[in-house]
Amino acid sequence: MTGLTGSALRKTERVVAAQGFDARTFAGGRTLRLVLPVSNRGRTGYKQLFIANLVGRSATDAYLVAGLPSALLVDDCPFDAPPQVGPARVSARHIRMTDESEALEYLALAVDSRLVVSLDNLEAPPAYPGPFSVATQDVAAGLQPSLGVTLFGARLLCARPAAVVEEVYSVMATSREEAAAIVLRQAIERTDCGAQMSIEVEDTHFDRAYDNNTLLILEHRSALAIADFMRQQRLAD
């Protein structure tokens, strides 16, 4: 941690130990997609969890650290260190469809309505430091004043003529709407993203990346049975 001495160094070392990475040297991690049962009002359904493995553990070890023995590990996706400003894209996949009609049907069925944020009338978002940035780490160490933001998870689904692009983000923002606007801006800047899209956002209740090297990104719930849930989300044939 070049340039830090004394109290600043000790504070930063404590934050690095807690969050499991040093933003000054962080090169990327992996995101585990888990599916696990959830009970709601007596009904058993399933949810997706995206957990970031930030220190190079094997998928098996990261799964064990997550402490979710009933979860099914579906995917283990690498991600590169994001820019210092803006959201971190921690998972992405390309889902093939037969045509645009099937892609739009998937968008309608695969989202969790309680998480979807309306994309109408979203204000232009400010540029916040990213969740893995040096600035965010310095705030956590008390070396900079609080930014007044918290950590959100966001899943973008974007329809193409014969495919759907799914991207999962870790976002620093002040509200779900602001987090959605930040992700929407990312989507608009990419020419390969169609006009039909959906953005789900969830407040992780964390103010920074931490918690013993794991990071809750997004919970996506459904009352479907496991086989139906896996097919709906295109996680199984």
Side-chain angles (χ1 to χ4, degrees), residues 145-207:
S146 173
L147 302 171
V149 295
T150 188
L151 189 66
F152 290 84
R155 186 175 76 145
L156 165 71
L157 293 176
C158 177
R160 293 181 182 175
V164 169
V165 175
E166 177 199 70
E167 297 183 340
V168 178
Y169 290 88
S170 184
V171 190
M172 302 300 290
T174 63
S175 67
R176 294 178 69 242
E177 289 72 23
E178 197 171 67
I182 291 171
V183 172
L184 178 61
R185 180 172 60 189
Q186 293 279 313
I188 291 173
E189 290 175 354
R190 293 193 307 276
T191 58
D192 61 347
C193 201
Q196 297 292 331
M197 68 180 72
S198 178
I199 298 177
E200 301 163 296
V201 180
E202 184 164 49
D203 187 345
T204 67
H205 306 294
F206 294 164
D207 60 2

Side-chain angles (χ1 to χ4, degrees), residues 18-94:
Q19 67 188 8
F21 67 95
D22 185 350
R24 292 164 176 77
T25 57
F26 182 61
R30 306 187 69 85
T31 301
L32 277 63
R33 184 196 299 257
L34 307 174
V35 172
L36 65 159
V38 58
S39 179
N40 183 24
R41 297 178 181 176
R43 299 177 63 187
T44 299
Y46 287 84
K47 65 181 178 182
Q48 296 187 72
L49 277 180
F50 295 87
I51 302 290
N53 170 18
L54 305 177
V55 293
R57 286 192 173 97
S58 68
T60 300
D61 287 346
Y63 171 85
L64 293 174
V65 169
L68 299 168
S70 60
L72 173 65
L73 176 60
V74 177
D75 193 18
D76 177 28
C77 174
F79 68 93
D80 294 329
Q84 290 291 303
V85 176
R89 188 177 71 169
V90 298
S91 177
R93 66 178 173 140
H94 185 275

